[in-house]
PDB file of all heavy atoms in Angstrom:
ATOM      1  N   PRO A 223      15.557   5.753  12.943  1.00 55.00           N
ATOM      2  CA  PRO A 223      15.695   5.063  11.667  1.00 55.00           C
ATOM      3  C   PRO A 223      15.158   3.651  11.663  1.00 55.00           C
ATOM      4  O   PRO A 223      14.962   3.073  10.622  1.00 55.00           O
ATOM      5  CB  PRO A 223      17.214   5.043  11.451  1.00 55.00           C
ATOM      6  CG  PRO A 223      17.773   5.041  12.826  1.00 55.00           C
ATOM      7  CD  PRO A 223      16.846   5.870  13.645  1.00 55.00           C
ATOM      8  N   ALA A 224      14.927   3.054  12.843  1.00 44.00           N
ATOM      9  CA  ALA A 224      14.471   1.667  12.882  1.00 44.00           C
ATOM     10  C   ALA A 224      13.433   1.509  13.966  1.00 44.00           C
ATOM     11  O   ALA A 224      13.730   1.554  15.148  1.00 44.00           O
ATOM     12  CB  ALA A 224      15.645   0.723  13.155  1.00 44.00           C
ATOM     13  N   ALA A 225      12.147   1.365  13.529  1.00 41.00           N
ATOM     14  CA  ALA A 225      11.113   1.248  14.543  1.00 41.00           C
ATOM     15  C   ALA A 225       9.967   0.352  14.143  1.00 41.00           C
ATOM     16  O   ALA A 225       9.217  -0.087  14.987  1.00 41.00           O
ATOM     17  CB  ALA A 225      10.571   2.626  14.902  1.00 41.00           C
ATOM     18  N   VAL A 226       9.779   0.072  12.875  1.00 45.00           N
ATOM     19  CA  VAL A 226       8.672  -0.762  12.442  1.00 45.00           C
ATOM     20  C   VAL A 226       9.076  -2.213  12.587  1.00 45.00           C
ATOM     21  O   VAL A 226       9.952  -2.684  11.885  1.00 45.00           O
ATOM     22  CB  VAL A 226       8.273  -0.459  10.987  1.00 45.00           C
ATOM     23  CG1 VAL A 226       7.130  -1.365  10.561  1.00 45.00           C
ATOM     24  CG2 VAL A 226       7.858   0.988  10.858  1.00 45.00           C
ATOM     25  N   LYS A 227       8.454  -2.914  13.501  1.00 47.00           N
ATOM     26  CA  LYS A 227       8.832  -4.286  13.786  1.00 47.00           C
ATOM     27  C   LYS A 227       8.271  -5.234  12.741  1.00 47.00           C
ATOM     28  O   LYS A 227       7.118  -5.133  12.352  1.00 47.00           O
ATOM     29  CB  LYS A 227       8.334  -4.702  15.171  1.00 47.00           C
ATOM     30  CG  LYS A 227       8.963  -3.897  16.301  1.00 47.00           C
ATOM     31  CD  LYS A 227       8.393  -4.327  17.635  1.00 47.00           C
ATOM     32  CE  LYS A 227       9.001  -3.517  18.770  1.00 47.00           C
ATOM     33  NZ  LYS A 227       8.406  -3.885  20.075  1.00 47.00           N
ATOM     34  N   GLY A 228       9.076  -6.184  12.317  1.00 47.00           N
ATOM     35  CA  GLY A 228       8.628  -7.219  11.407  1.00 47.00           C
ATOM     36  C   GLY A 228       7.921  -8.315  12.156  1.00 47.00           C
ATOM     37  O   GLY A 228       7.823  -8.302  13.385  1.00 47.00           O
ATOM     38  N   ALA A 229       7.435  -9.312  11.423  1.00 44.00           N
ATOM     39  CA  ALA A 229       6.665 -10.387  12.021  1.00 44.00           C
ATOM     40  C   ALA A 229       7.495 -11.178  13.018  1.00 44.00           C
ATOM     41  O   ALA A 229       6.978 -11.713  13.990  1.00 44.00           O
ATOM     42  CB  ALA A 229       6.123 -11.315  10.930  1.00 44.00           C
ATOM     43  N   ALA A 230       8.805 -11.282  12.790  1.00 41.00           N
ATOM     44  CA  ALA A 230       9.649 -12.083  13.655  1.00 41.00           C
ATOM     45  C   ALA A 230      10.249 -11.264  14.789  1.00 41.00           C
ATOM     46  O   ALA A 230      11.116 -11.725  15.509  1.00 41.00           O
ATOM     47  CB  ALA A 230      10.770 -12.735  12.840  1.00 41.00           C
ATOM     48  N   GLY A 231       9.801 -10.008  14.968  1.00 42.00           N
ATOM     49  CA  GLY A 231      10.285  -9.193  16.061  1.00 42.00           C
ATOM     50  C   GLY A 231      11.469  -8.329  15.695  1.00 42.00           C
ATOM     51  O   GLY A 231      11.978  -7.592  16.529  1.00 42.00           O
ATOM     52  N   GLY A 232      11.952  -8.415  14.466  1.00 42.00           N
ATOM     53  CA  GLY A 232      13.034  -7.554  14.019  1.00 42.00           C
ATOM     54  C   GLY A 232      12.497  -6.174  13.732  1.00 42.00           C
ATOM     55  O   GLY A 232      11.348  -5.871  13.982  1.00 42.00           O
ATOM     56  N   SER A 233      13.337  -5.311  13.203  1.00 39.00           N
ATOM     57  CA  SER A 233      12.878  -3.966  12.896  1.00 39.00           C
ATOM     58  C   SER A 233      13.219  -3.629  11.460  1.00 39.00           C
ATOM     59  O   SER A 233      14.106  -4.223  10.858  1.00 39.00           O
ATOM     60  CB  SER A 233      13.521  -2.951  13.841  1.00 39.00           C
ATOM     61  OG  SER A 233      14.928  -2.950  13.667  1.00 39.00           O
ATOM     62  N   THR A 234      12.452  -2.699  10.916  1.00 37.00           N
ATOM     63  CA  THR A 234      12.690  -2.258   9.559  1.00 37.00           C
ATOM     64  C   THR A 234      12.881  -0.755   9.560  1.00 37.00           C
ATOM     65  O   THR A 234      12.286  -0.033  10.358  1.00 37.00           O
ATOM     66  CB  THR A 234      11.498  -2.623   8.654  1.00 37.00           C
ATOM     67  OG1 THR A 234      10.312  -2.081   9.224  1.00 37.00           O
ATOM     68  CG2 THR A 234      11.345  -4.120   8.537  1.00 37.00           C
ATOM     69  N   ARG A 235      13.664  -0.260   8.629  1.00 36.00           N
ATOM     70  CA  ARG A 235      13.974   1.165   8.601  1.00 36.00           C
ATOM     71  C   ARG A 235      12.784   1.956   8.099  1.00 36.00           C
ATOM     72  O   ARG A 235      12.056   1.520   7.237  1.00 36.00           O
ATOM     73  CB  ARG A 235      15.197   1.414   7.709  1.00 36.00           C
ATOM     74  CG  ARG A 235      16.479   0.815   8.274  1.00 36.00           C
ATOM     75  CD  ARG A 235      17.652   1.159   7.393  1.00 36.00           C
ATOM     76  NE  ARG A 235      17.883   2.589   7.301  1.00 36.00           N
ATOM     77  CZ  ARG A 235      18.551   3.285   8.197  1.00 36.00           C
ATOM     78  NH1 ARG A 235      19.032   2.698   9.268  1.00 36.00           N
ATOM     79  NH2 ARG A 235      18.745   4.583   8.040  1.00 36.00           N
ATOM     80  N   ALA A 236      12.639   3.160   8.650  1.00 35.00           N
ATOM     81  CA  ALA A 236      11.504   3.982   8.272  1.00 35.00           C
ATOM     82  C   ALA A 236      11.860   5.444   8.115  1.00 35.00           C
ATOM     83  O   ALA A 236      11.181   6.307   8.639  1.00 35.00           O
ATOM     84  CB  ALA A 236      10.399   3.828   9.318  1.00 35.00           C
TER      85      ALA A 236
END
Side-chain angles (χ1 to χ4, degrees):
V226 179
K227 296 178 181 177
S233 63
T234 55
R235 293 183 62 83

